[in-house]
Amino acid sequence: MKIAVFGSTGNTGLQLVSQILERGNECTALVRNPEKLVQFESNKNLKIVKCDILNSDEVASHLAGHDCVLSALGVHGIAMFKITFYLESMKSIVEAMRKANLKRLICVTSFYSKPDTIYPMMYKIVMRPMLGRHLDNMNEMEEYLFSQCSDIDYTIVRPPRLLDTTMSESEIKVNENAYFFPDYSTKSQIPRANVAKFMLEALDKNLYVKQGVAIDLVK
């Protein structure tokens, strides 16, 4: 399998690249800063491509011959102004996929990406004030996939707080077409390694096509 990865220099993307290569698959990492992947550059199955991910023509030229696209793109830090990157980058990726005749896409957003009054107090007093602009643009990206991408076999993965720890052996629970776990049966935090593993398993088994799913570790 030949997999194209966006966001491969972030912490979740690095987990994706590592696990793809461990499986023996071919991986193309489309990046702005190739230096961040130096730890993998000796692997013959990795192709590192420096490109403008907002230029769909340039991206399309690197997607030909691939089987799927995985995206862990994100915006770091607290944003003081409106964020547009999630939507703009996804539009470019989808346009490039269409030009390259690619269908399968798995991407990451977050718990609580769609505004709702039923979320817990922690969301209202902590997450929303800190990450509201991120969540709003994630939601705009998701709505774009839902409303304008019926030709794309997308899966949206919504994890809770991401941890830079080793992979957990705990069971991953999935809530289909949901934005969190209202029964509070999960830990509300998950290692990035587990998120990457879940994405690759969804790819292997062709799971959750044209869906958004909340994932978390069982308590």
Side-chain angles (χ1 to χ4, degrees), residues 79-181:
M80 301 301 295
F81 304 99
K82 179 178 174 61
I83 293 173
T84 60
F85 178 74
Y86 293 98
L87 178 59
E88 289 178 354
S89 60
M90 185 54 67
K91 284 184 174 180
S92 177
I93 289 169
V94 168
E95 289 170 9
M97 289 177 66
R98 287 169 173 155
K99 292 171 184 175
N101 198 29
L102 257 176
K103 297 289 186 183
R104 190 66 171 119
L105 166 68
I106 303 177
C107 62
V108 180
T109 58
S110 175
F111 262 29
Y112 313 124
S113 54
K114 183 176 182 179
D116 203 313
T117 58
I118 66 172
Y119 297 149
M121 188 60 65
M122 182 63 70
Y123 162 81
K124 297 173 184 176
I125 66 174
V126 178
M127 288 195 64
R128 184 68 206 177
M130 290 180 61
L131 301 174
R133 292 180 177 87
H134 294 74
L135 296 171
D136 287 344
N137 198 227
M138 286 179 183
N139 183 54
E140 290 171 342
M141 184 196 87
E142 292 185 359
E143 290 301 320
Y144 164 71
L145 290 173
F146 294 148
S147 64
Q148 299 184 44
C149 300
S150 60
D151 57 322
I152 301 296
D153 292 334
Y154 59 81
T155 300
I156 301 166
V157 180
R158 303 181 182 117
R161 178 189 173 201
L162 296 169
L163 304 176
D164 293 313
T165 56
T166 57
M167 189 177 299
S168 171
E169 297 301 320
S170 297
E171 176 190 351
I172 287 186
K173 191 171 184 179
V174 181
N175 197 6
E176 296 184 39
N177 300 308
Y179 297 84
F180 77 126
F181 289 85

